[in-house]
Amino acid sequence: MRIIIIGAGEVGYHIARRLAVENKEVVVIDKSAEALRKLAEASDVQTITGSGSSPEILEQAGVEEADILLAVTDSDEINLISCFFANMLNREMTKLARVRSEMYTDYRHLLMDEGAGITKVINPDEEVVNSVLRLMSVPGAVEINEFAGGKIRLIGINLPDGSPLVGTRLIDLRGKIGDDVGIVIAALVRNGELIIPSGLDEIRQGDVIYFVCDIRDQEEIVSRLGVATEPVREVLIIGGGNIGFRLAKALDNKFYHTRLLENRQKRCEFLSEKLDRPIVLMGDSTDQEILREENIQDMDMVIAVTGDEETNILSCLLAKSLGAKRTVTRVNNFGYMPLIEPIGIDYVVCPRQSAINSLLHFIRRGRIISSVNIRGEEAEALEVIAHEDSPIVGKKVKDIDFPRGCLILCFQRGDEVVIPRGDTLIEPKDQLIIISTRQNIPKVEKVLTAKVEFF
């Protein structure tokens, strides 16, 4: 598989490194020789200095023989023009564009018609808003991902002190949780290390557990885990930019009491005109007096999504110190992400990570229809279709010789969500959710495409 990446910023850098590890042929184009040098030192990729919007540069990168083009620069216009010329040079390739401006995303149907030829328009701001809304739906969660059109959820939760699951082996889980709800433990995070467990692994105090379930069972399961789930009602959004505005619009209903704090007067005027129920405030989010005046101690969730990540982090820390129950911060710098939880912020959302998650499943071989990273890039959850000639079709789950670090979690069969047992048979067209460590992704892809013995 030959993949051309336009842009060696953080999104392009991380995707290129990820794909190079998986032995894919990667070419990265960027106008910055320094950014390309940094990437070339970190991974085995080909680099070309120049603009991805140049047909000459695209031809030099081998666009006519490429399978996929990812346009992920910080410029919507360069991304769109790159895909336009790539379509002229190779209409069969998959073309993905990272686009943030509503000026373009509101007309994505035009960008994805035969003339422009873009396969998918990725808007990371939309993905961030969706991530926040999912977190709000399960207040005790640290991460939530959806599969099967929203019917299946993969939820990460900090196991609270005194949880009835502490000391339980996974093989005995059903006895503790009950047989009337379906749950599979996908991963454990212990002392910062991610573990894809077996049935003999034991849940310990302080673990973060990732589990899959039918969305209809999630509230009951979270309750049985011993997690307190007070609903989110009082919300303060810090930052009225694209993400803050989109989020406020999504919360513009009777259920939420939403305040939106923005420090630019003209932007406040725009927000006041466009929003109905949310209260728009003008002020500095690091001003303690303003936060106290708005009764920050009564806020169920404070969500800082300005374009300045230092402001977001400081605002959340201040809100937390003044009594806010939960805090969410937007961070773009990948280097900051491991620091967020230790300093006391509850959740982190990252537009660049959201863009990577959205792009990855288009790159995967086989009938993979979605893909998300778990805990940064340590593992990946894949949503795949078991086609008729796959080696796993007709086998019982217990007879599939998965390598350590790879696990079938659950699947959708028709309209039914199936939490598998060891003797469950895989049938054609089952929509499987598989978790795998990064090292085993190529093996999973091979199984989904080859008519050979499994591994």
Side-chain angles (χ1 to χ4, degrees):
M1 180 181 287
R2 185 176 181 84
I3 301 169
I4 297 174
I5 300 175
I6 312 296
E10 288 220 53
V11 173
Y13 177 87
H14 282 271
I15 290 181
R17 286 192 63 189
R18 180 72 173 268
L19 299 177
V21 169
E22 298 171 13
N23 298 318
K24 292 180 172 62
E25 186 179 355
V26 180
V27 183
V28 182
I29 301 170
D30 198 285
K31 290 187 287 187
S32 170
E34 177 61 24
L36 293 175
R37 183 193 62 80
K38 177 184 175 184
L39 176 58
E41 289 177 353
S43 57
D44 183 19
V45 300
Q46 179 185 346
T47 61
I48 298 176
T49 305
S51 174
S53 60
S54 163
E56 180 182 358
I57 294 293
L58 290 173
E59 286 185 329
Q60 187 179 336
V63 69
E64 293 177 357
E65 294 81 34
D67 300 290
I68 297 174
L69 180 133
L70 309 178
V72 293
T73 75
D74 288 332
S75 167
D76 290 353
E77 288 75 16
I78 289 177
N79 294 340
L80 293 173
I81 293 171
S82 299
C83 287
F84 175 79
F85 280 121
N87 189 54
M88 297 298 102
L89 296 167
N90 182 352
R91 291 188 179 274
E92 301 302 317
M93 74 186 303
T94 299
K95 294 165 284 289
L96 311 174
R98 177 191 181 197
V99 180
R100 295 182 59 194
S101 173
E102 290 184 355
M103 179 172 62
Y104 300 121
T105 57
D106 286 348
Y107 293 89
R108 69 181 69 202
H109 60 286
L110 299 178
L111 300 175
M112 297 172 66
D113 68 11
E114 292 184 3
I118 298 176
T119 309
K120 179 72 174 178
V121 173
I122 307 295
N123 187 334
D125 292 352
E126 291 178 357
E127 297 299 324
V128 166
V129 170
N130 291 335
S131 296
V132 173
L133 293 175
R134 288 195 296 267
L135 287 171
M136 293 175 70
S137 71
V138 187
V142 297
E143 186 175 349
I144 301 174
N145 292 291
E146 291 185 341
F147 301 95
K151 293 181 179 180
I152 298 171
R153 279 190 163 182
L154 171 60
I155 303 174
I157 282 189
N158 277 308
L159 205 61
D161 295 340
S163 169
L165 291 194
V166 172
T168 302
R169 295 187 306 170
L170 298 192
I171 198 171
D172 302 320
L173 185 64
R174 289 183 185 272
K176 282 292 182 77
I177 294 291
D179 284 333
D180 57 325
V181 293
I183 177 175
V184 174
I185 303 297
L188 304 173
V189 178
R190 181 175 298 153
N191 300 323
E193 179 186 358
L194 185 137
I195 303 166
I196 307 296
S198 69
L200 298 179
D201 282 308
E202 183 180 286
I203 297 172
R204 300 179 186 173
Q205 190 73 53
D207 283 353
V208 178
I209 66 170
Y210 283 79
F211 64 90
V212 291
C213 67
D214 189 315
I215 190 171
R216 295 171 296 184
D217 294 334
Q218 71 175 20
E219 290 186 13
E220 183 62 29
I221 290 172
V222 170
S223 174
R224 295 184 191 184
L225 294 177
V227 178
T229 56
E230 297 179 11
V232 174
R233 294 293 181 99
E234 300 288 338
V235 179
L236 174 64
I237 302 170
I238 296 172
N242 289 339
I243 294 177
F245 176 49
R246 287 177 182 273
L247 182 57
K249 282 202 296 185
L251 302 180
D252 195 349
N253 56 56
K254 293 180 180 180
F255 185 82
Y256 297 101
H257 302 136
T258 307
R259 293 173 173 84
L260 177 55
L261 183 59
E262 167 59 47
N263 61 5
R264 296 168 293 173
Q265 183 175 343
K266 286 187 177 181
R267 187 64 178 176
C268 286
E269 293 171 358
F270 167 83
L271 295 168
S272 296
E273 291 176 1
K274 297 295 182 180
L275 298 171
D276 182 18
R277 292 181 179 275
I279 299 171
V280 179
L281 308 165
M282 190 175 79
D284 183 352
S285 61
T286 60
D287 186 330
Q288 294 189 39
E289 291 306 315
I290 289 178
L291 296 180
R292 286 195 177 99
E293 286 175 6
E294 297 306 321
N295 299 316
I296 193 69
Q297 71 278 2
D298 296 331
M299 293 297 163
D300 296 314
M301 188 169 282
V302 174
I303 307 163
V305 288
T306 76
D308 185 290
E309 51 204 1
E310 286 81 7
T311 297
N312 293 338
I313 293 170
L314 290 173
S315 299
C316 284
L317 290 175
L318 181 57
K320 194 80 171 181
S321 71
L322 294 175
K325 295 183 179 67
R326 305 178 187 92
T327 52
V328 181
T329 188
R330 169 195 179 183
V331 171
N332 273 326
N333 189 327
F334 284 93
Y336 285 178
M337 293 181 68
L339 307 176
I340 299 302
E341 184 179 345
I343 64 176
I345 296 174
D346 299 295
Y347 313 112
V348 58
V349 290
C350 177
R352 289 171 178 163
Q353 185 65 64
S354 297
I356 290 172
N357 283 342
S358 299
L359 292 165
L360 271 176
H361 77 268
F362 286 95
I363 299 167
R364 297 295 177 216
R365 290 188 181 276
R367 300 190 181 183
I368 297 177
I369 56 179
S370 71
S371 169
V372 295
N373 287 329
I374 306 298
R375 293 288 292 192
E377 296 183 352
E378 295 181 53
E380 197 167 321
L382 308 172
E383 183 176 7
V384 308
I385 295 176
H387 49 96
E388 294 181 359
D389 56 358
S390 171
I392 64 175
V393 168
K395 286 190 175 183
K396 295 180 180 178
V397 170
K398 66 181 180 181
D399 295 332
I400 299 175
D401 188 21
F402 274 118
R404 176 77 174 178
C406 186
L407 184 68
I408 293 179
L409 302 176
C410 69
F411 51 88
Q412 183 179 14
R413 178 174 294 161
D415 293 328
E416 180 187 6
V417 175
V418 178
I419 303 295
R421 297 177 181 267
D423 58 356
T424 303
L425 281 174
I426 304 297
E427 297 181 2
K429 299 184 180 180
D430 282 348
Q431 207 161 303
L432 309 176
I433 314 300
I434 299 174
I435 191 168
S436 174
T437 56
R438 182 173 61 177
Q439 294 84 352
N440 282 323
I441 291 293
K443 296 180 181 179
V444 175
E445 290 183 307
K446 185 177 180 180
V447 167
L448 299 172
T449 55
K451 301 179 183 179
V452 296
E453 286 301 315
F454 193 76
F455 293 110

